[in-house]
Amino acid sequence: MTGEELRDLRLALGLTQVQMGGLLGVHRNTIRRYEVGERRITAHFALFVVESARRLAEEREKQERQRRARSRP
């Protein structure tokens, strides 16, 4: 995973660097350093990012289904 891919994923999820850092348990500056290429993203961290993003997307889908179910007559 490149820094650009990390940024694209973060933006696709609608997260700020602060929010992404919170999701991953790292400081915003760490996210920034990854995104601009100042810090290399390890394979282990990349897998953690992908898994965390998947879980967040699933949770958002679940919440959306629940919201739609509540709004049905």
Side-chain angles (χ1 to χ4, degrees):
M1 171 178 277
T2 66
E4 185 176 339
E5 290 168 334
L6 177 64
R7 185 192 71 234
D8 290 346
L9 177 60
R10 176 178 62 78
L11 294 174
L13 292 169
L15 299 175
T16 65
Q17 289 178 338
V18 171
Q19 292 167 325
M20 184 68 133
L23 176 67
L24 301 172
V26 298
H27 194 273
R28 177 196 66 84
N29 287 336
T30 302
I31 298 299
R32 184 191 63 76
R33 287 183 186 111
Y34 284 139
E35 289 183 357
V36 299
E38 290 178 6
R39 187 169 180 174
R40 184 177 161 274
I41 299 173
T42 65
H44 182 268
F45 189 75
L47 288 172
F48 180 63
V49 168
V50 170
E51 179 60 23
S52 297
R54 183 190 62 77
R55 284 193 316 261
L56 177 62
E58 286 176 355
E59 181 61 31
R60 287 179 175 178
E61 280 184 34
K62 179 182 173 184
Q63 290 172 353
E64 179 60 22
R65 283 192 307 271
Q66 290 172 343
R67 185 193 64 76
R68 282 187 299 219
R70 286 191 304 266
S71 66
R72 290 184 187 149

